[in-house]
Amino acid sequence: MKELLTDHKISSLKTYFTSYRHAVWIGYVMIAVALIVLPFLVESTIGRTWVRILDFALIYGMLALGLNIVVGFAGLLDLGYIAFYAVGAYTWALLASPQFGLHLPFWVIIPIGFVVAGFFGVLLGAPTLRLRGDYLAIVTLGFGEIIRIFLNNLDHPVNVTNGPVGINLIDPISIGSVDFTKTQEIFGLIFSGAHIYYYVLLLLLLVSILVCIRLENSRLGRAWVAIREDEIAAQAMGINTRNVKLLAFAMGASFGGIAGGLFASFQGFVSPESFILLESIMVLCMVVLGGMGNVWGVVLGTFILAILPEVLRDISSPLQENILGKVWLDPESLRMVLFGLALIVVMLVRPTGLWPSKKNN
Amino acid sequence: MTLLKVTDFRVAYGGIKAVKGVNLEILRGEIVALIGSNGAGKTTLLKAICGLLRFEGQMTFAGVDAKRKRSDQLVKLGLSLVPEGRGVFGRLTVSENLMMGAFLIKDKTSIKNDIDRIYQMFPRLAERKNQIAGTLSGGEQQMLAIGRAMMARPKMLLLDEPSMGLAPMMVEKIFHVIDEISNSNVTILLVEQNANLALNFAARAYVMDSGRITLDGPSFELKTDSSVRRAYLGG
């Protein structure tokens, strides 16, 4: 009788665990379906512009994940991160546009962008190895500006970047004759360019998330944590702090480079204007607001900060009309005020971010 | 047999010379103390030996020319530092800190055995293995710093002021463990401001003053030396 009971217990435990695993799988499938259906819903309810906004949120997601490697994992404050986004974008623009008459396919440009941006990451990392905190922040800020000014002025003596005018007619991602920025009809369903890019970007963001989670729990991830906590002690543990820091810069930059390339191909146009300091700060805000060091927190922070300003843009006029009877404040400036206010409130209520990493408490 | 030998060892911060031509020779299995007042250059000397600062002069460790070796290469050779002020990773747990100490060791089962050994050495750490290291007391943090350095399986342990800021009871406990470590065939170089403590513990000592070694010899001789008594032992 006793044995029977234990047998029974074990089998009920087994069914409990298998049903639990099933529930997790059902959850994954539901999330996947929701993510696939989302652009259809958005497009049919609030319009195609919002699919584009989603696309940008996904691009920013990749950027923020890259910056999170540098700032969140390794604790190196980088205020010029957008430079790598610029490097990636211009790499794509120069290799696939009428500028030089080059039209390389995307599967060649993506790895090139990855390597070139990573190289620029090392270029920034190498001279700043001994710097930390605010000193590092100042140098990285300068680096970001240098890259932007270079792009702005490299139209003479030899025209490379077209200067402030920027580069136009950049090739989109295409497979065979299928252009990803053009509307396609598949099985009777209409997919706009923004809609197709949504899937491409979603896939890449998911890969980025996976890579970041693996990195965080790797030997390299632990070395980054050690450097962030105490650099001298990290060295005393036998961590080659030079290589590990350079790797943080290079990997962070590579994420930015890929995001930049996709941005260029999606927009079809790049100019130095897209890579100003405010953009670096915006990406940093996404990381900090979401929760530095926590991959899911960073993704959450990105979506909130990428979408919130657009929501505020849409509601700030009707809101004033309803409450005050008339539009008193320019919606464009009001939305930035509200945006700033939202940031301050979040940081007061949750100083370590909305979804902080366990280790940052 | 000589384990660590430094000759004409000089370290400068920019133009300021902190260590001005030091010679040390430490044999395998010894406990050696390095005493001296604040600003004598003890910590600088230790950091440079560990590859954390650049130096001029010669250094050999375990029969290998150790000049221009990086800190991680020296750790691999068996030279481990317990840094001044402990330097525990404050936001990681006790066991994560110990894991970090084994950064260069690949074999997972031997890491696990080493952790168990450290917990036997410091039962207090075992009780707190899932606690965040920053919330430990000063003495516990010192235990953790020593345990973490031992995780790298050093031939030689460099301890920078392990007694700093600790209650006498805790100091006694820590030194008891350092003694145990020494018995397990690990050579010890102990930097201390507390000369009395250091001279009672170590068999041999160097006295450092303004970047130079001014005296060295067996501890019992230094304890009776009039200049040492005046300068470091209070009469």
Side-chain angles (χ1 to χ4, degrees):
Chain A
M1 191 63 202
K2 211 177 172 187
E3 274 171 31
L4 270 176
L5 261 176
T6 38
D7 274 356
H8 176 69
K9 263 187 187 164
I10 288 167
S11 69
S12 74
L13 266 175
K14 268 185 189 158
T15 48
Y16 171 74
F17 276 115
T18 44
S19 65
Y20 173 73
R21 287 234 300 269
H22 281 187
V24 169
W25 274 110
I26 291 166
Y28 281 144
V29 170
M30 278 165 69
I31 290 170
V33 170
L35 287 172
I36 290 169
V37 175
L38 185 68
F40 287 106
L41 279 176
V42 167
E43 196 166 331
S44 59
T45 52
I46 45 181
R48 189 165 288 175
T49 348
W50 281 90
V51 181
R52 279 184 72 84
I53 291 167
L54 277 181
D55 288 349
F56 278 107
L58 292 167
I59 292 178
Y60 274 119
M62 241 180 291
L63 266 180
L65 284 174
L67 184 61
N68 183 50
I69 292 176
V70 185
V71 179
F73 292 171
L76 305 160
L77 183 52
D78 185 348
L79 287 185
Y81 184 68
I82 211 70
F84 307 122
Y85 187 53
V87 167
Y90 270 87
T91 304
W92 192 302
L94 294 174
L95 294 177
S97 75
Q99 177 73 359
F100 290 143
L102 289 170
H103 295 281
L104 300 182
F106 74 93
W107 47 268
V108 175
I109 308 177
I110 287 180
I112 293 177
F114 182 88
V115 172
V116 171
F119 169 75
F120 272 85
V122 173
L123 210 63
L124 169 64
T128 55
L129 282 172
R130 289 157 166 272
L131 301 179
R132 277 193 81 81
D134 23 16
Y135 300 101
L136 178 64
I138 290 170
V139 176
T140 52
L141 190 151
F143 177 81
E145 285 300 282
I146 288 170
I147 295 284
R148 187 181 61 81
I149 292 165
F150 256 96
L151 295 174
N152 217 9
N153 290 296
L154 269 183
D155 51 350
H156 60 86
V158 184
N159 184 7
V160 182
T161 64
N162 242 4
V165 180
I167 296 170
N168 215 338
L169 297 172
I170 299 166
D171 299 348
I173 297 179
S174 58
I175 295 175
S177 61
V178 181
D179 177 341
F180 278 32
T181 52
K182 297 262 158 54
T183 302
Q184 310 285 345
E185 196 185 325
I186 304 163
F187 304 125
L189 290 168
I190 307 288
F191 292 91
S192 66
H195 196 148
I196 301 169
Y197 255 86
Y198 169 87
Y199 293 128
V200 174
L201 294 168
L202 181 66
L203 185 71
L204 280 164
L205 183 68
L206 289 176
V207 172
S208 307
I209 291 172
L210 217 65
V211 170
C212 281
I213 289 174
R214 291 302 295 261
L215 271 177
E216 191 180 5
N217 299 317
S218 69
R219 225 170 101 80
L220 184 58
R222 286 194 288 130
W224 283 334
V225 171
I227 286 184
R228 189 184 70 198
E229 295 290 311
D230 188 323
E231 200 166 333
I232 299 261
Q235 276 179 295
M237 301 300 93
I239 293 168
N240 184 334
T241 52
R242 181 194 64 199
N243 290 0
V244 163
K245 272 181 168 183
L246 286 179
L247 267 174
F249 275 114
M251 300 194 86
S254 301
F255 274 73
I258 292 182
L262 291 163
F263 165 74
S265 77
F266 177 50
Q267 288 267 86
F269 166 71
V270 290
S271 79
E273 240 172 79
S274 307
F275 310 108
I276 52 176
L277 176 62
L278 185 68
E279 288 288 316
S280 283
I281 294 185
M282 195 69 178
V283 181
L284 187 65
C285 282
M286 290 166 175
V287 174
V288 174
L289 181 104
M292 231 192 291
N294 181 14
V295 171
W296 295 109
V298 168
V299 173
L300 177 72
T302 307
F303 274 80
I304 291 173
L305 287 200
I307 289 168
L308 184 66
E310 304 303 325
V311 175
L312 290 174
R313 189 207 303 272
D314 276 12
I315 65 167
S316 56
S317 285
L319 205 65
Q320 287 186 66
E321 271 168 12
N322 282 337
I323 299 171
L324 306 167
K326 141 179 192 206
V327 179
W328 289 86
L329 287 167
D330 168 30
E332 197 57 26
S333 27
L334 180 64
R335 95 187 160 105
M336 286 325 278
V337 172
L338 291 176
F339 182 68
L341 211 62
L343 279 186
I344 292 170
V345 169
V346 170
M347 288 334 281
L348 282 177
V349 180
R350 295 191 68 91
T352 51
L354 291 169
W355 191 348
S357 140
K358 288 199 304 268
K359 284 172 187 145
N360 280 344
N361 282 333
Chain B
M1 208 165 77
T2 305
L3 182 60
L4 174 74
K5 184 172 182 178
V6 304
T7 328
D8 192 25
F9 200 88
R10 280 161 290 137
V11 189
Y13 294 106
I16 302 155
K17 293 178 182 122
V19 177
K20 308 164 185 166
V22 162
N23 299 313
L24 296 176
E25 185 166 1
I26 293 165
L27 307 181
R28 218 170 272 260
E30 268 194 306
I31 300 183
V32 177
L34 177 65
I35 60 175
S37 56
N38 250 336
K42 306 183 301 285
T43 296
T44 305
L45 174 60
L46 220 53
K47 276 188 174 171
I49 288 175
C50 293
L52 300 180
L53 295 172
R54 287 193 139 230
F55 64 86
E56 298 299 317
Q58 265 63 57
M59 168 172 163
T60 56
F61 179 76
V64 178
D65 179 13
K67 192 171 184 178
R68 300 273 173 273
K69 284 241 188 297
R70 292 190 314 266
S71 54
D72 55 300
Q73 295 170 316
L74 290 167
V75 174
K76 210 168 239 170
L77 283 175
L79 189 66
S80 263
L81 170 74
V82 181
E84 187 182 21
R86 293 133 204 163
V88 298
F89 300 118
R91 288 188 291 195
L92 305 189
T93 65
V94 168
S95 63
E96 283 169 333
N97 264 276
L98 291 176
M99 285 292 290
M100 210 65 100
F103 190 79
L104 293 177
I105 294 169
K106 302 261 157 65
D107 178 13
K108 287 223 170 89
T109 51
S110 75
I111 292 177
K112 216 183 152 299
N113 292 337
D114 286 354
I115 289 189
D116 288 340
R117 207 160 48 88
I118 304 290
Y119 284 153
Q120 271 168 25
M121 217 187 282
F122 297 109
R124 186 78 72 88
L125 294 183
E127 287 165 26
R128 319 220 145 174
K129 60 181 164 192
N130 295 321
Q131 195 172 323
I132 300 294
T135 63
L136 297 175
S137 76
E140 289 160 352
Q141 289 192 14
Q142 188 64 59
M143 291 176 181
L144 181 56
I146 294 173
R148 191 183 57 180
M150 287 303 292
M151 289 296 296
R153 301 204 186 146
K155 292 191 181 78
M156 180 170 186
L157 202 57
L158 309 178
L159 294 138
D160 197 351
E161 305 247 7
S163 75
M164 192 166 67
L166 299 185
M169 273 260 289
M170 192 50 90
V171 172
E172 204 173 297
K173 247 185 209 163
I174 298 275
F175 274 73
H176 180 72
V177 172
I178 299 174
D179 195 41
E180 250 176 60
I181 290 171
S182 163
N183 288 337
S184 69
N185 216 9
V186 176
T187 311
I188 308 273
L189 175 60
L190 174 71
V191 164
E192 265 294 343
Q193 262 193 71
N194 185 340
N196 205 7
L197 181 69
L199 291 178
N200 282 326
F201 184 71
R204 205 157 65 78
Y206 291 89
V207 180
M208 196 168 181
D209 187 27
S210 339
R212 291 199 173 83
I213 300 291
T214 51
L215 266 176
D216 73 274
S219 297
F220 67 88
E221 274 178 23
L222 292 178
K223 263 191 281 187
T224 54
D225 183 278
S226 60
S227 65
V228 172
R229 291 189 69 87
R230 225 181 11 258
Y232 305 109
L233 298 174

PDB file of all heavy atoms in Angstrom, chain A residues 292-310:
ATOM      1  N   MET A 292      19.303  48.867 -16.163  1.00  0.00           N
ATOM      2  CA  MET A 292      20.652  48.587 -16.644  1.00  0.00           C
ATOM      3  C   MET A 292      21.075  47.159 -16.306  1.00  0.00           C
ATOM      4  O   MET A 292      20.911  46.730 -15.169  1.00  0.00           O
ATOM      5  CB  MET A 292      21.607  49.556 -15.958  1.00  0.00           C
ATOM      6  CG  MET A 292      22.496  50.288 -16.897  1.00  0.00           C
ATOM      7  SD  MET A 292      23.786  51.107 -15.993  1.00  0.00           S
ATOM      8  CE  MET A 292      22.908  52.365 -15.129  1.00  0.00           C
ATOM      9  N   GLY A 293      21.594  46.460 -17.283  1.00  0.00           N
ATOM     10  CA  GLY A 293      22.120  45.124 -17.018  1.00  0.00           C
ATOM     11  C   GLY A 293      21.105  44.012 -17.204  1.00  0.00           C
ATOM     12  O   GLY A 293      21.462  42.864 -17.331  1.00  0.00           O
ATOM     13  N   ASN A 294      19.810  44.357 -17.220  1.00  0.00           N
ATOM     14  CA  ASN A 294      18.812  43.316 -17.415  1.00  0.00           C
ATOM     15  C   ASN A 294      18.270  43.369 -18.844  1.00  0.00           C
ATOM     16  O   ASN A 294      17.651  44.354 -19.247  1.00  0.00           O
ATOM     17  CB  ASN A 294      17.669  43.479 -16.416  1.00  0.00           C
ATOM     18  CG  ASN A 294      16.627  42.390 -16.584  1.00  0.00           C
ATOM     19  OD1 ASN A 294      16.874  41.388 -17.244  1.00  0.00           O
ATOM     20  ND2 ASN A 294      15.467  42.598 -16.000  1.00  0.00           N
ATOM     21  N   VAL A 295      18.500  42.311 -19.596  1.00  0.00           N
ATOM     22  CA  VAL A 295      18.156  42.285 -21.015  1.00  0.00           C
ATOM     23  C   VAL A 295      16.666  42.593 -21.224  1.00  0.00           C
ATOM     24  O   VAL A 295      16.308  43.439 -22.046  1.00  0.00           O
ATOM     25  CB  VAL A 295      18.527  40.911 -21.608  1.00  0.00           C
ATOM     26  CG1 VAL A 295      17.983  40.764 -23.018  1.00  0.00           C
ATOM     27  CG2 VAL A 295      20.035  40.736 -21.602  1.00  0.00           C
ATOM     28  N   TRP A 296      15.792  41.952 -20.454  1.00  0.00           N
ATOM     29  CA  TRP A 296      14.352  42.169 -20.656  1.00  0.00           C
ATOM     30  C   TRP A 296      13.954  43.573 -20.247  1.00  0.00           C
ATOM     31  O   TRP A 296      13.087  44.196 -20.871  1.00  0.00           O
ATOM     32  CB  TRP A 296      13.541  41.131 -19.884  1.00  0.00           C
ATOM     33  CG  TRP A 296      13.790  39.756 -20.414  1.00  0.00           C
ATOM     34  CD1 TRP A 296      14.485  38.758 -19.799  1.00  0.00           C
ATOM     35  CD2 TRP A 296      13.401  39.236 -21.698  1.00  0.00           C
ATOM     36  NE1 TRP A 296      14.544  37.657 -20.609  1.00  0.00           N
ATOM     37  CE2 TRP A 296      13.886  37.917 -21.769  1.00  0.00           C
ATOM     38  CE3 TRP A 296      12.688  39.773 -22.776  1.00  0.00           C
ATOM     39  CZ2 TRP A 296      13.681  37.109 -22.889  1.00  0.00           C
ATOM     40  CZ3 TRP A 296      12.484  38.970 -23.887  1.00  0.00           C
ATOM     41  CH2 TRP A 296      12.979  37.659 -23.941  1.00  0.00           C
ATOM     42  N   GLY A 297      14.596  44.083 -19.190  1.00  0.00           N
ATOM     43  CA  GLY A 297      14.324  45.448 -18.768  1.00  0.00           C
ATOM     44  C   GLY A 297      14.683  46.438 -19.864  1.00  0.00           C
ATOM     45  O   GLY A 297      13.933  47.379 -20.145  1.00  0.00           O
ATOM     46  N   VAL A 298      15.826  46.200 -20.502  1.00  0.00           N
ATOM     47  CA  VAL A 298      16.278  47.098 -21.564  1.00  0.00           C
ATOM     48  C   VAL A 298      15.283  47.077 -22.727  1.00  0.00           C
ATOM     49  O   VAL A 298      14.937  48.126 -23.282  1.00  0.00           O
ATOM     50  CB  VAL A 298      17.694  46.702 -22.037  1.00  0.00           C
ATOM     51  CG1 VAL A 298      18.063  47.421 -23.308  1.00  0.00           C
ATOM     52  CG2 VAL A 298      18.707  47.004 -20.943  1.00  0.00           C
ATOM     53  N   VAL A 299      14.790  45.879 -23.072  1.00  0.00           N
ATOM     54  CA  VAL A 299      13.818  45.783 -24.167  1.00  0.00           C
ATOM     55  C   VAL A 299      12.544  46.548 -23.796  1.00  0.00           C
ATOM     56  O   VAL A 299      12.009  47.327 -24.591  1.00  0.00           O
ATOM     57  CB  VAL A 299      13.515  44.298 -24.483  1.00  0.00           C
ATOM     58  CG1 VAL A 299      12.379  44.186 -25.486  1.00  0.00           C
ATOM     59  CG2 VAL A 299      14.759  43.614 -25.015  1.00  0.00           C
ATOM     60  N   LEU A 300      12.106  46.377 -22.554  1.00  0.00           N
ATOM     61  CA  LEU A 300      10.916  47.090 -22.086  1.00  0.00           C
ATOM     62  C   LEU A 300      11.122  48.602 -22.154  1.00  0.00           C
ATOM     63  O   LEU A 300      10.280  49.339 -22.680  1.00  0.00           O
ATOM     64  CB  LEU A 300      10.601  46.659 -20.641  1.00  0.00           C
ATOM     65  CG  LEU A 300       9.432  47.373 -19.972  1.00  0.00           C
ATOM     66  CD1 LEU A 300       8.119  46.913 -20.574  1.00  0.00           C
ATOM     67  CD2 LEU A 300       9.439  47.139 -18.460  1.00  0.00           C
ATOM     68  N   GLY A 301      12.276  49.055 -21.624  1.00  0.00           N
ATOM     69  CA  GLY A 301      12.584  50.483 -21.632  1.00  0.00           C
ATOM     70  C   GLY A 301      12.588  51.040 -23.047  1.00  0.00           C
ATOM     71  O   GLY A 301      12.065  52.130 -23.310  1.00  0.00           O
ATOM     72  N   THR A 302      13.136  50.278 -23.985  1.00  0.00           N
ATOM     73  CA  THR A 302      13.195  50.725 -25.368  1.00  0.00           C
ATOM     74  C   THR A 302      11.803  50.922 -25.928  1.00  0.00           C
ATOM     75  O   THR A 302      11.505  51.937 -26.551  1.00  0.00           O
ATOM     76  CB  THR A 302      13.913  49.676 -26.237  1.00  0.00           C
ATOM     77  OG1 THR A 302      15.158  49.394 -25.641  1.00  0.00           O
ATOM     78  CG2 THR A 302      14.109  50.187 -27.628  1.00  0.00           C
ATOM     79  N   PHE A 303      10.931  49.931 -25.716  1.00  0.00           N
ATOM     80  CA  PHE A 303       9.599  50.034 -26.296  1.00  0.00           C
ATOM     81  C   PHE A 303       8.836  51.214 -25.715  1.00  0.00           C
ATOM     82  O   PHE A 303       8.179  51.950 -26.441  1.00  0.00           O
ATOM     83  CB  PHE A 303       8.845  48.708 -26.155  1.00  0.00           C
ATOM     84  CG  PHE A 303       9.167  47.804 -27.297  1.00  0.00           C
ATOM     85  CD1 PHE A 303      10.335  47.066 -27.321  1.00  0.00           C
ATOM     86  CD2 PHE A 303       8.357  47.790 -28.422  1.00  0.00           C
ATOM     87  CE1 PHE A 303      10.676  46.287 -28.408  1.00  0.00           C
ATOM     88  CE2 PHE A 303       8.691  47.017 -29.524  1.00  0.00           C
ATOM     89  CZ  PHE A 303       9.851  46.259 -29.508  1.00  0.00           C
ATOM     90  N   ILE A 304       8.988  51.413 -24.413  1.00  0.00           N
ATOM     91  CA  ILE A 304       8.286  52.545 -23.806  1.00  0.00           C
ATOM     92  C   ILE A 304       8.811  53.861 -24.388  1.00  0.00           C
ATOM     93  O   ILE A 304       8.045  54.711 -24.837  1.00  0.00           O
ATOM     94  CB  ILE A 304       8.443  52.513 -22.283  1.00  0.00           C
ATOM     95  CG1 ILE A 304       7.657  51.321 -21.731  1.00  0.00           C
ATOM     96  CG2 ILE A 304       7.952  53.810 -21.660  1.00  0.00           C
ATOM     97  CD1 ILE A 304       7.863  51.094 -20.261  1.00  0.00           C
ATOM     98  N   LEU A 305      10.126  54.011 -24.427  1.00  0.00           N
ATOM     99  CA  LEU A 305      10.687  55.289 -24.866  1.00  0.00           C
ATOM    100  C   LEU A 305      10.586  55.499 -26.373  1.00  0.00           C
ATOM    101  O   LEU A 305      10.615  56.632 -26.852  1.00  0.00           O
ATOM    102  CB  LEU A 305      12.145  55.424 -24.433  1.00  0.00           C
ATOM    103  CG  LEU A 305      12.368  55.666 -22.945  1.00  0.00           C
ATOM    104  CD1 LEU A 305      13.733  56.259 -22.705  1.00  0.00           C
ATOM    105  CD2 LEU A 305      11.313  56.577 -22.362  1.00  0.00           C
ATOM    106  N   ALA A 306      10.469  54.421 -27.141  1.00  0.00           N
ATOM    107  CA  ALA A 306      10.339  54.595 -28.590  1.00  0.00           C
ATOM    108  C   ALA A 306       8.890  54.925 -28.948  1.00  0.00           C
ATOM    109  O   ALA A 306       8.632  55.617 -29.931  1.00  0.00           O
ATOM    110  CB  ALA A 306      10.801  53.337 -29.313  1.00  0.00           C
ATOM    111  N   ILE A 307       7.974  54.432 -28.159  1.00  0.00           N
ATOM    112  CA  ILE A 307       6.571  54.587 -28.528  1.00  0.00           C
ATOM    113  C   ILE A 307       5.910  55.763 -27.810  1.00  0.00           C
ATOM    114  O   ILE A 307       5.101  56.480 -28.390  1.00  0.00           O
ATOM    115  CB  ILE A 307       5.820  53.254 -28.288  1.00  0.00           C
ATOM    116  CG1 ILE A 307       6.296  52.254 -29.344  1.00  0.00           C
ATOM    117  CG2 ILE A 307       4.307  53.435 -28.371  1.00  0.00           C
ATOM    118  CD1 ILE A 307       5.898  50.838 -29.102  1.00  0.00           C
ATOM    119  N   LEU A 308       6.332  56.000 -26.553  1.00  0.00           N
ATOM    120  CA  LEU A 308       5.705  57.064 -25.766  1.00  0.00           C
ATOM    121  C   LEU A 308       5.697  58.441 -26.449  1.00  0.00           C
ATOM    122  O   LEU A 308       4.647  59.094 -26.501  1.00  0.00           O
ATOM    123  CB  LEU A 308       6.376  57.143 -24.388  1.00  0.00           C
ATOM    124  CG  LEU A 308       5.770  58.140 -23.403  1.00  0.00           C
ATOM    125  CD1 LEU A 308       4.355  57.723 -23.015  1.00  0.00           C
ATOM    126  CD2 LEU A 308       6.643  58.274 -22.153  1.00  0.00           C
ATOM    127  N   PRO A 309       6.831  58.906 -27.000  1.00  0.00           N
ATOM    128  CA  PRO A 309       6.800  60.237 -27.634  1.00  0.00           C
ATOM    129  C   PRO A 309       5.798  60.310 -28.776  1.00  0.00           C
ATOM    130  O   PRO A 309       5.171  61.353 -28.994  1.00  0.00           O
ATOM    131  CB  PRO A 309       8.221  60.415 -28.167  1.00  0.00           C
ATOM    132  CG  PRO A 309       9.051  59.453 -27.417  1.00  0.00           C
ATOM    133  CD  PRO A 309       8.171  58.312 -27.064  1.00  0.00           C
ATOM    134  N   GLU A 310       5.620  59.192 -29.491  1.00  0.00           N
ATOM    135  CA  GLU A 310       4.680  59.177 -30.615  1.00  0.00           C
ATOM    136  C   GLU A 310       3.236  59.241 -30.103  1.00  0.00           C
ATOM    137  O   GLU A 310       2.384  59.928 -30.677  1.00  0.00           O
ATOM    138  CB  GLU A 310       4.887  57.921 -31.464  1.00  0.00           C
ATOM    139  CG  GLU A 310       6.309  57.744 -31.985  1.00  0.00           C
ATOM    140  CD  GLU A 310       6.787  58.935 -32.796  1.00  0.00           C
ATOM    141  OE1 GLU A 310       5.967  59.552 -33.509  1.00  0.00           O
ATOM    142  OE2 GLU A 310       7.992  59.254 -32.704  1.00  0.00           O
TER     143      GLU A 310
END
